[in-house]
Amino acid sequence: MRDEDFRGDERPNIMELFKCLPVIEHLTTWGYMSPLLVQDSVPRELSTLPIHLKYFCMEEFGFGDGYGLPFLCVLIKYSPSLEKIKLQVGSGHYDETEPDKLEEYSVILEKYPDVWLEHLNELEIIFFENSKLEMEFVKFIVVRSPGLKKVKLQLYRVGKNEELKMLNILLSAPHASPVEIVVENLNQMP
């Protein structure tokens, strides 16, 4: 579905999504939908909460596209029953050579200090490239999830030395509970 598929001023947003799906337990969506759902801004409050949502998967998730992360933050903030988050990272990466972009996207996470994922027990990220924002997101989740048992990262374009450094950072970061970090390198690089 593309932006031009909607006629007139009738475009969906995140609030309408949850009004239509108040008792959904499993939700899988494409990252390409998040610009349509987020539009100009993400609400800080949802009128209809996805309180039954246990599993959320987003394919083609973009950490740096300006839409994926705000959509995900709102979703997790208002999904108290969430047990698993699965993200398949797509092509929406930001350019790490632009420090302003990293700061801009990191500010998104800072807007959600009250996120507490009491029931989350698994986080899985496919095509994890070990970008600064991806690492900040994993640390954000780990520190706010007292029931988290497993973080599974399927690495993409990450060398062995970088993998070891990444693991040391994640293992030494603050955790709300002991967490097993499972790493699978999809393409072994020297």
Side-chain angles (χ1 to χ4, degrees):
M1 189 173 287
R2 299 176 312 260
D3 196 33
E4 57 267 13
D5 291 337
F6 296 101
R7 296 191 179 128
D9 292 331
E10 295 182 25
R11 294 188 179 167
N13 63 41
I14 193 169
M15 305 272 285
E16 291 168 5
L17 172 69
F18 294 122
K19 283 179 188 175
C20 295
L21 308 169
V23 294
I24 191 163
E25 290 187 11
H26 295 253
L27 176 62
T28 298
T29 185
W30 273 72
Y32 298 123
M33 289 297 295
S34 56
L36 300 175
L37 295 171
V38 172
Q39 294 183 16
D40 295 328
S41 65
V42 176
R44 300 282 293 163
E45 302 279 331
L46 292 177
S47 58
T48 304
L49 303 180
I51 60 172
H52 300 286
L53 187 64
K54 293 181 180 178
Y55 172 83
F56 175 71
C57 174
M58 183 178 281
E59 298 174 1
E60 295 298 319
F61 179 78
F63 272 99
D65 66 4
Y67 301 100
L69 192 56
F71 174 81
L72 183 59
C73 286
V74 169
L75 179 88
I76 62 178
K77 179 178 179 177
Y78 294 106
S79 301
S81 301
L82 199 58
E83 295 175 0
K84 181 174 180 178
I85 299 171
K86 180 178 179 179
L87 305 173
Q88 179 185 330
V89 179
S91 58
H93 286 290
Y94 64 98
D95 184 357
E96 285 198 12
T97 61
E98 297 181 44
D100 292 346
K101 289 289 185 191
L102 176 61
E103 185 176 324
E104 176 185 330
Y105 297 134
S106 295
V107 166
I108 294 169
L109 294 175
E110 292 172 10
K111 290 181 180 180
Y112 297 92
D114 53 346
V115 167
W116 190 248
L117 299 163
E118 194 170 330
H119 299 285
L120 188 70
N121 57 47
E122 187 175 348
L123 170 66
E124 180 179 359
I125 303 177
I126 302 167
F127 299 124
F128 187 86
E129 292 186 3
N130 194 28
S131 71
K132 291 176 183 173
L133 187 54
E134 289 173 329
M135 287 290 285
E136 289 305 309
F137 177 74
V138 172
K139 292 190 286 185
F140 175 84
I141 294 296
V142 167
V143 80
R144 289 166 170 77
S145 306
L148 189 64
K149 293 175 179 57
K150 184 177 186 179
V151 173
K152 182 178 181 183
L153 304 174
Q154 292 185 353
L155 306 180
Y156 182 67
R157 296 193 291 197
V158 176
K160 196 66 173 165
N161 290 340
E162 189 180 356
E163 179 182 332
L164 293 173
K165 190 174 171 182
M166 175 200 73
L167 279 170
N168 283 334
I169 291 169
L170 289 177
L171 291 171
S172 63
H175 295 82
S177 65
V179 174
E180 174 187 12
I181 299 175
V182 177
V183 174
E184 177 186 344
N185 206 322
L186 296 175
N187 58 333
Q188 292 293 331
M189 294 176 63

